[in-house]
Amino acid sequence: MAPPSAEVDTANSPELRQHVKDTTKKTPSSSFPKPLKYSGSLDEYEHCDVTSVIGREFPKLQLSKILEDDAKIRDLAITVSQRGVVFFRKQDLTNQGLKVLAQKLGKLSGGPKEAGLYRHPLSNYKQNFAIDEDGAQDDEISLISSEQRRGWYKDKYGHTKVLASGGWHSDFTFEHNPTDYGVFKVVEAPEDVGGDTIWASAYEAYDRISPFFQKTADALTATHRNPNFHSQARNGGFELVQGPRGHPDNVVDKDADAYEVVHPLVRTNPVTGWKSLFTGVNSLRDGNINGVTERENEILKDYFKQLFVENHDLQVRNRWGKNDIAIWDDRSVVHVATNDYFGKRTAYRVSSVGEKPYFDPNSVSRREALNSL
Ligand SMILES: [Fe+2]
């Protein structure tokens, strides 16, 4: 651990320092994508915003009915990126349909050509975590099962004494190319009650910071680190997924003792052009903010976490029914599960892999874009 000195840069290796320099290098603004425009093709379907900041629900639309309509799926991607998370009820989309949907959401909204669907390092078919509804093994589908998770995280389920706020995260920020769209279908909701998921807006978290400090945050980078997969695999006798995880740059470094990458602290969402605070809350727990002292790193991480966790007016909570689907934009929201139930809960998640996170100095905050300062 580095001493709390003003001279200490917590970017702790020459390679990492070089990476920080590369990441923060000025790039001509013309090289950044332009925000996409919503065409209005989904207006015909009944919908409502769940809060003023985050969340929209289409209570009657069947996603299977629009899956082949690229204009509507593109508009859906834009809607998800603007609203953070979108909800659909009683869906008949199969797991293979979830894959088609996730891939189209990424591609039709300008995602990288070379990217595919995410393959989780540990939640792969060899551990029976990736399996479709017909029992077929598929590393691009993650089974999220309460029965499995109760085995791993005994202290986090039921009558827990662990702080639930420790679960806030953004998916897979330890990757060079993290995911853009997450598609999540609950096929078995708890028969008792509970098991809600909560999302929080990283656009709005950025807008809660003062203009003075926004400028500082704009210039910072953070090192995201996941030190657990190698040890979990070793201790549990698991095998990590082989080959790229949804993008050629997302590969296992066998010599590394952690999955580690440097991202901008403020990230521009290419679909909306809006800035979001890209900490992933607890996704940065084992990482650090670069170029600051160790004490400043602690203070900043606590402050950024507080923005998400203690502002319930930038959150939206979803109660799941059987076959409900949520789609969210991992670039601009964080989420947390609620482990307050005793029944069974089974879900499938498919995620598409997005661009390398970047900061466009000409991008604006959500409030600026909507003129609601
Ligand atoms: Fe997650």
Side-chain angles (χ1 to χ4, degrees), residues 37 54 73 121 161 308 327 337 342 363:
K37 286 208 166 62
I54 180 173
I73 298 298
K161 293 184 189 295
F308 287 99
I327 308 173
F342 294 88
S363 57

Side-chain angles (χ1 to χ4, degrees), residues 167 169-172 184 328 330 335-336 349:
H169 67 283
S170 181
D171 289 339
F172 324 125
F184 195 88
W328 66 87
D330 267 320
H335 59 275
V336 64
R349 181 193 56 219

Side-chain angles (χ1 to χ4, degrees), residues 13 36 69 91 133-134 143 254 268 272 282 328 349 360:
S13 73
L36 305 186
D69 188 330
Q91 296 294 300
E133 67 270 32
D134 299 320
L143 168 66
K254 288 202 171 67
T268 303
T272 58
N282 292 296
W328 66 87
R349 181 193 56 219
D360 177 351

